[in-house]
Amino acid sequence: TYVGELGWEVYISADMAGHVFEVLHAAGQQMGAKLCGMHMMDTCRIEKGFRHFGHDITAEDHILEAGLGFAVKLDKPAFVGRDAVLRKKEAGLERRLVQFRLTDPEPLLYHNEPVLRDGKIVGQLSSGAYGHHFGAAMGMGYVPCAGQSVDEVLASSYEIDVAGHRTPSGQTPMRTPPAPNVNPASGDTAQGLGFALGAYVLWGFLPLYLKAVSHVPAAEIVAHRIIWAVPIAGALLIFL
C-alpha cells in the first residue's frame, strides 16, 4: 500500500463510505486499531521512499530521473512513452531524485526547502515529512547529475536550508525497496503460498470427503470446485 506495508486500499461508493468505516473501525477494536490521519500516512510513505504524485513526480518529470525505471518494461511491444524512455536512457540523466534525512532531529521539513550541494543551492525539496522511525525529518528532491554516476552524486556534502539555517543531511538514491516479506523476483509470500495450497486442498479433497460421508449431489460438488477455482487461480497468479 501507499504507506509501505502489506494491506488493502479499499474503493467504495460515496454513499457506502460511512457504513464501511463504521464496520471496519468496530472490527479493528479487538486488534488495537487506531485512527490515523494524512500526516501519519505521509511519514510512513516517505520513510519507505514512495513518491507522492503531484509533488515528487508529475507529468513533467521523467520516470528514470525519479528512480522508477524498474516499473517500465522496455522489451515489450511499443507503448506510449517507450521512445522517450529509450532516448533518456541513452543520453543519460540530467538530474536524479534523492532522499534526504536531516542529522538534527529538531527541524521539520515540508517541501520547497532549498537543497545545497557542496555549499551551493542546486534545487529544492519536492516533499518532506518527519520520519518517526528514524527520529529525524526526511525529504525528497531532485539534484543535477549530468555525466555523473550515483556514487559521485552521493559523495557530495548536502544541506537543507530550514528557515535560513543550513542543516546537514545524509542522502540515499531513490530506489524503492520491495514490500515487506515479499521476494521482488517472484512476488512470493508465505501467506499467499499458504492460501494457495490450502485452497488447493479444499478444492481437491473436500468434495471427495463430502461425497463419501454425506452423499452430496454431484452438482453441488461441481459448484464447490468452481467457487474455489477462482481464489486458487488468483492466488497463483499473484503469489507464484
Side-chain angles (χ1 to χ4, degrees), residues 165-210:
H165 178 71
R166 295 184 178 184
T167 304
S169 168
Q171 58 280 337
T172 58
M174 291 301 298
R175 296 191 180 106
T176 301
N181 303 320
V182 174
N183 181 336
S186 66
D188 182 28
T189 70
Q191 182 181 10
L193 185 57
F195 174 79
L197 292 175
Y200 178 78
V201 170
L202 288 173
W203 182 79
F205 295 103
L206 185 58
L208 300 177
Y209 173 78
L210 292 175

Side-chain angles (χ1 to χ4, degrees), residues 19 26 29 31 37 40 87 95 102 116 138 191-192 196 216 226 234:
H19 173 66
Q29 296 310 298
M31 295 177 284
M40 184 288 307
R87 286 195 302 268
R95 58 182 191 147
L102 299 185
L116 295 92
M138 305 181 69
Q191 182 181 10
V216 176
I226 293 175

